[in-house]
Every structure is written in structure tokens, then in C-alpha cells.
Amino acid sequence: MIGNLKPLEILLIIAVIVLLFGAKKLPEMARSLGKSARILKSEAKAMKKDGEADAAPAAPAADTTAPQQQTAPRTIQAAPGDVTSSRPVNEPNRTAQG
């Protein structure tokens, strides 16, 4: 479908997008799209790595009564240079403090 578009039609679509969102908003939208793509890619790699670790044969345990080893919960890493998403989730609301 996209291969059937002529150059004039592509220019018309680009012009409509610029008119709708404005020239100032487009770079910001492209940056956020890039950050999202990087996060998605890193999470996909982490899931693949976790899947490979789970698929590896486990050695038989000699003592079945031994307690299970506790692992830390996984955290999502922020994209490089992304300072807005690197703060803690439980941050108090600044407007409520006065």
C-alpha cells in the first residue's frame, strides 16, 4: 500500500502532518518515539536473555530442603539521557507540600 504512493501524495501527507502538529512539536515527538523504541529494544533483549537462562538445563539439587535463593525484582532501565523517567515511582507530590 505504501509502495503505491506517488511523490506528490507523500508530500501532501507530510504537509498535513506539519499543519496538524506544528513544526515545533514534530522534533519532540520524534525524540520520544526514539526513546520508546530504545526501551522496547532493550526490554526485548532482556526477555530473550531471561528465556535463554530459563531454557538452560538446571543441575539437580542435592538438598531439596534448602531455601530458594531470593532474587531482586527486575527494574526497567531508562534510556540513555532520559532524566525524566529515572526518578523513583514513589516520589511525593511537590504541590501537596505547599
Side-chain angles (χ1 to χ4, degrees), residues 49-62:
K49 190 183 295 184
D50 286 347
E52 289 173 356
D54 292 343

Side-chain angles (χ1 to χ4, degrees), residues 27-93:
E28 181 182 323
M29 291 171 53
R31 273 192 292 276
S32 65
L33 182 65
K35 286 178 186 179
S36 300
R38 277 182 287 199
I39 291 172
L40 180 66
K41 185 177 178 181
S42 67
E43 286 300 311
K45 282 184 181 179
M47 289 176 66
K48 184 176 179 182
K49 190 183 295 184
D50 286 347
E52 289 173 356
D54 292 343
D63 185 14
T64 58
T65 61
Q68 292 288 332
Q69 188 180 32
Q70 300 245 344
T71 59
R74 276 182 32 117
T75 58
I76 297 175
Q77 297 291 328
D82 184 13
V83 295
T84 58
S85 63
S86 61
R87 60 188 131 122
V89 176
N90 295 336
E91 184 175 306
N93 192 354

